[in-house]
Each structure stands twice: as C-alpha cells, then as structure tokens.
C-alpha cells in the first residue's frame, strides 16, 4: 500500500509545484499516527469576500413568485436549487454541511443569527469543533428575520459578517412561510438571489441547475488524508463524498483512525489494508457517482469488510447493490424527523438533509429495509441480510442533535472489531495500523476543496481551474 499511494503523490506534488502552485495553497496536511497533530487547513484567499451589503435584495423562484427583501450578506448574485429546513438551531453546522453545496437554504425558523457564529477552533484531533467543513457551503441564505446583534459566549462574528466573508449572499425580510408553502406544493425549485438590482424577468433564462453538475467532485478531497485516534487500534477507510467533521469525530472518538480517500478512488484495490470501509454524506444526485458505485460493487464482491454508509453514502451503497434511487418532491431537511427501526419497532428522532432516497422496492433478496420515514414512508435505511453492511439515510452523528441514533456508530465498530479479530486468527501477522511514513508522505499531497461561490460564479471560474485540477490528478 505504501508504494501504491506514495508514488502518485510524489509525481503529483512535482506537477503542482511546477505548474499548479495555486492548488497547493489549498492543501490540508495530515495528522501523524503517533500523535494527534492538528489537521491544519490553511484558509483559501478570501477573494470572494465583500463588505456586508444592506442593499435591496430579490429572491426569485424560476417560473414562480418573486420576493423582495434586504441583503445582509455578500454583494453577489447567484442561482441554485431552493430548499428549506425546519431546524430550529444549528445554522452554523447546516451552512457548513457539504451536502448543501449548490443550494439556496431557506430557514423556516423566523429568527436566525441570534447566537452569532462561533470560531473555527479545533479539538484534540484537529477537527473543527463548531463547523462541519472549513467553509460555508450553501450558495445562498434566505431568512424571515436576521439578528444583527448576537449574544453567545462562543460567538466571534455575526451571521451577516460570516456570509460576507465567505462571499455568500443572504436575504432577510421575506415571507419564508409563503416560500416554503410554494416549495412544498411545487417541489424544490431553481431560484436566484439578486443584490442591488431590480428584478428582470429575462434573467429567468439564466438559472443554473446544480443537479446537472457532479457536486461530489467539488466537495470531495483531491487526495487521501488521515486523522489518527489515540484511543484504539482500528483503521477505517472513508470514501469522502463531502464528509462532515462530526462523522470523522464519531469514528475517531470510538477508537478508529481514519484515512479518507477521494470519492472516485478504487477503494477495492486497497481495502485489505483496513478493518472497515465507511461511505460519507455528500451533495447532489447519487447517479453522478458511477465510478464510486462501480468500486463499491467490486468491493462487496471481493471483500467481507464491514461497510457503513450515511446519507449519500447510503444511496451509493444501494446503487452498488443493484437498487435504484428516486428524487423526492422537496426532500427532508430538519432535526426532528421520526424514523422507525423495523428490527426493534422503536422510533428515533433524526437529523436529515437529502433530496434523494432509495427505492426500497428495487432491493434484491440479499437486502432488506432497516428504517422508514414515519412522515412520508420513504426509505431511511437498508441492511444486508447476512453480512455486516448497512446504511442510513439520516445522520446518526448529527452535530446539532438529536443523538437518538448515535449508537449506530457503536454497532458499526463492533462489526469492525469482530472482523479484525477474525482476521487475526487466520493472519496473525496482519497489521492494519497506518504507517507513520505513509501518513507523512500523504500529507504533502493533500489538495483542498475550493469553497462555494454560487453556481453561476462556479461556472464563471471557467474551465481553467478544472483543467489544472485534472492535469494535477493525471500527472
């Protein structure tokens, strides 16, 4: 495994050093194995930052109503998919969740921002304490009322200051009840936020659909990175489709060191070096990730490793098994959605953020449903009938709560422990703890994720950045 991963890292590093130094600025160094060295993540240059705009703002739904309000974020115009969340708290976690990439997030909670935005402090494992990723991921923010004056002992800035720093437009003073009513009746819709300009109906033709873009490729790591655990000797491979910090924390705190790989990495080729595989959450349509589905299918055919998937990872696991996914009318995004455990009959209150779901009727005979949504009866989990493989649509790690289903991480790591012990019987010399040398080598190759700039700005970046990234990866 050392030579398999280290050799490409060396050549790519040389390419970046010579021709793509700008990409190296986004590098995310690795933690060493022997100590919990913080995973330092240099903040990309704030070229997107603008002063807080208090101009007129317009929120326009394509072929739908137009809402006029006031800007309290960045002075930039964007388009994306308008979705809503009914969560009462946890807006810093929601807005930094990579699953919201390309979406304009509408909050049903009338007042947002009253406890400000906390610092980017990190814990002993180098993971962000208060955010799910280093940057604000949503393309835009829409609220009924924003608290410009905040009060909380962890706060260091206002929501408006944060949005302006991140280059994300935000709108207040609109009727979010009417917006949500429309989205519930019509389904998730394309929308625009326009700052300081009168509404122009001709701009309706300029809406950009993020569902046509492979958003996972935008939020996934571009090279492996490692987070060590000082409390155990498990080693789990994470397929990073936009992994949340608290997923990594939930694994590391339970004794599993984590090596995260790009979403399209051929994980089946290196799986034998690990005690388990984990598939993370992520944004967009799961059918864009055909390489991931293929690699997962190969993994399940060639290995008996325990596998767990969350959110998008759950959907990719289902696709790899031969099932299909469907797009929900307006999705499920909240911290209070009931899910029924079909094995125990117990109901769990769960945190969710997804617009797609697994079509349980397409599962083959080796699989069965594990959870169902008690609001809309959609699938919330699947499990293999004879192997330690399962996935959940909801988020058991939910940073903003609730924690009803956090025990599922314990269930997963119990299967990891059993697998590791069984392998020790047949291969007593087997050692899956990561090599310090390997981790140090990988640390030099970590290429970070470009922050969100709204779908229009993302496309306006041109193909130059994409070509540079492809050239670095191909070198």
């Amino acid at each position: 495994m050392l030579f398999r991963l280290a050799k490409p890292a060396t050549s790519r590093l040389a390419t970046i050093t010579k021709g793509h130094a700008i990409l190296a600025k986004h590098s995310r160094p690795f933690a060493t194995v022997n100590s919990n060295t913080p995973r330092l993540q240099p903040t990309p240059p704030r070229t997107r930052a603008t002063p807080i705009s208090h101009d007129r703002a317009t929120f326009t739904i394509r072929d739908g109503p137009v809402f006029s309000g006031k800007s309290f974020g960045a002075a930039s115009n964007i388009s994306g998919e308008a979705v809503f969340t009914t969560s009462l708290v946890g807006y810093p976690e929601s807005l930094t969740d990579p699953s919201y990439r390309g979406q304009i997030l509408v909050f049903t909670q009338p007042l947002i921002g009253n406890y400000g935005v906390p610092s980017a402090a990190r814990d002993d494992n180098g993971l962000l304490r208060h955010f799910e990723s280093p940057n604000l991921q949503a393309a835009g923010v829409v609220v009924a009322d924003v608290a410009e004056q905040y009060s909380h002992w962890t706060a260091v800035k206002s929501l408006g200051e944060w949005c302006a720093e991140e280059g994300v437009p935000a709108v207040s003073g609109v009727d979010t009840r009417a917006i949500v009513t429309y989205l519930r009746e019509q389904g998730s819709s394309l929308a625009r936020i326009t700052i300081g300009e009168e509404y122009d109906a001709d701009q309706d033709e300029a809406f950009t659909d993020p569902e046509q873009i492979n958003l996972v490729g935008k939020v996934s790591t571009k090279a492996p990175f490692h987070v060590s655990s000082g409390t155990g000797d498990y080693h789990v491979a994470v397929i990073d489709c936009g992994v949340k910090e608290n997923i990594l924390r939930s694994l590391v705190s339970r004794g599993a060191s984590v090596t995260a790989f790009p979403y399209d990495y051929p994980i089946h080729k290196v799986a034998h070096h690990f005690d388990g595989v984990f598939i993370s959450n992520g944004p967009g349509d799961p059918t864009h990730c055909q390489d991931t589905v293929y690699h997962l299918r190969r993994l399940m055919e060639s290995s008996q490793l325990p596998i767990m998937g969350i959110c998008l990872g759950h959907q990719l696991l289902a696709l790899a098994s031969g099932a299909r996914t469907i797009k929900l009318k307006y999705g499920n995004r909240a911290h209070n959605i009931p899910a029924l455990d079909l094995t125990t009959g117990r109901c769990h209150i769960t945190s969710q953020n997804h617009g797609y779901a697994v079509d349980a009727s397409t599962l083959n005979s080796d699989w069965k449903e594990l959870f169902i949504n008690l609001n809309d009866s959609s699938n919330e989990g699947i499990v293999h009938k004879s192997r330690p493989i399962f996935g959940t649509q909801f988020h058991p790690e939910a940073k903003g709560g609730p924690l009803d289903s956090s025990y599922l991480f314990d269930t997963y790591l119990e299967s990891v422990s059993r697998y590791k012990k069984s392998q020790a019987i047949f291969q007593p010399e087997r050692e899956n703890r990561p090599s310090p040398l390997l981790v140090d080598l990988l640390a030099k190759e970590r290429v970070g994720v470009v922050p969100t700039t709204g779908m229009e700005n993302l496309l306006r970046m041109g193909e130059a950045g994409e070509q540079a990234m492809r050239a670095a990866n191909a070198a």
Side-chain angles (χ1 to χ4, degrees):
M1 181 180 180
L2 172 62
F3 295 106
R4 187 173 298 173
L5 295 179
K7 185 176 180 180
T10 304
S11 61
R12 291 180 189 173
L13 180 60
T15 302
I16 292 174
T17 303
K18 292 179 181 179
H20 306 286
I22 188 172
L23 297 177
K25 292 181 180 179
H26 301 302
S27 63
R28 184 179 185 178
F30 294 77
T32 63
V33 175
N34 296 328
S35 64
N36 287 326
T37 304
R39 286 192 306 132
L40 300 176
Q41 293 179 310
T43 303
R46 299 284 188 186
T47 55
R48 308 170 298 139
T50 71
I52 296 180
S53 168
H54 296 290
D55 294 336
R56 165 193 168 92
T58 303
F59 177 67
T60 306
I61 299 178
R62 186 177 187 180
D63 299 325
V66 179
F67 299 86
S68 295
K70 180 180 178 181
S71 168
F72 69 92
S76 60
N77 302 331
I78 58 93
S79 69
E81 180 185 24
V83 299
F84 66 89
T85 175
T86 61
S87 301
L88 302 182
V89 295
Y91 57 84
E93 293 89 347
S94 293
L95 291 173
T96 54
D97 182 349
S99 296
Y100 279 117
R101 177 64 73 99
Q103 296 179 329
I104 300 173
L105 187 56
V106 181
F107 288 88
T108 61
Q109 170 72 356
L111 178 64
I112 295 293
N114 55 310
Y115 59 90
V117 177
S119 70
R122 295 179 179 274
D123 61 20
D124 293 340
N125 296 307
L127 297 168
L128 292 163
R129 291 183 183 276
H130 308 295
F131 301 138
E132 295 292 9
S133 71
N135 295 99
L136 204 156
Q137 297 288 343
V141 181
V142 178
V143 303
D145 189 17
V146 63
E148 296 185 358
Q149 299 296 322
Y150 58 87
S151 177
H152 196 274
W153 67 274
T154 63
V156 297
K157 66 186 72 172
S158 70
L159 178 58
E161 290 171 335
W162 188 36
C163 289
E165 288 177 4
E166 294 283 336
V168 174
V171 181
S172 67
V174 296
D175 188 351
T176 53
R177 295 170 298 177
I179 295 173
V180 171
T181 299
Y182 181 88
L183 294 178
R184 283 182 63 90
E185 293 175 352
Q186 301 297 322
S188 298
S189 306
L190 298 183
R192 292 177 57 90
I193 292 179
T194 305
I195 306 298
E197 299 176 10
E198 294 294 331
Y199 169 68
D200 183 354
D202 292 337
Q203 288 186 339
D204 277 357
E205 300 301 320
F207 287 90
T208 303
D209 185 0
E211 295 299 323
Q212 302 304 314
I213 302 170
N214 181 7
L215 295 172
V216 173
K218 306 294 181 183
V219 299
S220 174
T221 179
K222 302 305 182 289
F225 67 91
H226 183 84
V227 185
S228 63
S229 172
T231 61
D233 60 356
Y234 307 129
H235 192 192
V236 171
V238 170
I239 300 176
D240 175 19
C241 300
V243 65
K244 295 165 66 173
E245 294 280 292
N246 209 42
I247 287 180
L248 298 176
R249 182 180 293 106
S250 296
L251 293 169
V252 172
S253 65
R254 288 171 169 81
S257 292
V258 167
T259 299
F261 292 87
Y263 78 101
D264 55 355
Y265 192 90
I267 195 66
H268 59 283
K269 295 183 178 180
V270 297
H272 59 283
H273 292 283
F274 297 90
D275 302 313
V277 171
F278 191 99
I279 319 159
S280 84
N281 63 292
D285 186 345
T287 60
H288 284 305
C289 303
Q290 290 302 315
D291 287 343
T292 312
V293 172
Y294 171 75
H295 296 150
L296 286 174
R297 186 178 299 121
R298 291 288 304 276
L299 173 66
M300 290 191 288
E301 291 172 349
S302 60
S303 173
Q304 294 297 314
L305 277 172
I307 304 174
M308 178 180 176
I310 286 180
C311 196
L312 179 69
H314 158 72
Q315 297 164 12
L316 295 175
L317 193 59
L319 291 173
S321 73
R324 294 196 295 268
T325 57
I326 56 175
K327 183 172 175 59
L328 300 175
K329 185 176 181 180
Y330 49 81
N332 288 309
R333 298 173 180 88
H335 291 172
N336 58 351
I337 297 178
L340 178 66
D341 185 337
L342 296 178
T343 60
T344 66
R346 294 180 177 178
C347 175
H348 303 289
I349 301 302
T350 65
S351 174
Q352 302 192 18
N353 173 18
H354 62 97
Y356 289 81
V358 173
D359 182 355
S361 66
T362 63
L363 292 171
N364 65 42
S365 58
D366 292 329
W367 297 78
K368 64 179 181 180
E369 279 195 284
L370 182 57
F371 294 93
I372 60 171
N373 187 307
L374 289 179
N375 286 343
D376 61 12
S377 298
S378 60
N379 175 262
E380 292 288 352
I382 60 173
V383 61
H384 196 280
K385 292 180 179 179
S386 61
R387 296 173 58 185
I389 306 175
F390 72 97
T392 65
Q393 186 61 70
F394 54 84
H395 287 267
E397 87 293 339
K399 186 66 167 63
L403 300 176
D404 296 30
S405 55
S406 61
Y407 72 90
L408 290 171
F409 282 96
D410 298 317
T411 301
Y412 171 64
L413 287 171
E414 286 170 4
S415 66
V416 168
S417 177
R418 287 193 295 269
Y419 175 80
K420 187 177 182 68
K421 290 178 181 177
S422 68
Q423 293 300 301
I425 295 174
F426 300 104
Q427 304 177 48
E429 74 286 352
R430 184 175 183 265
E431 177 54 68
N432 279 349
R433 287 186 63 81
S435 161
L437 175 59
L438 177 61
V439 173
D440 288 339
L441 288 173
L442 292 175
K444 299 175 183 178
E445 177 58 13
R446 176 66 169 95
V447 178
V449 177
V450 176
T452 183
T453 54
M455 296 315 300
E456 287 185 6
N457 293 337
L458 184 68
L459 297 178
R460 195 179 295 122
M461 287 167 61
E463 297 185 357
E466 291 290 334
Q467 291 172 351
M469 191 72 74
R470 284 196 294 269
N473 288 336

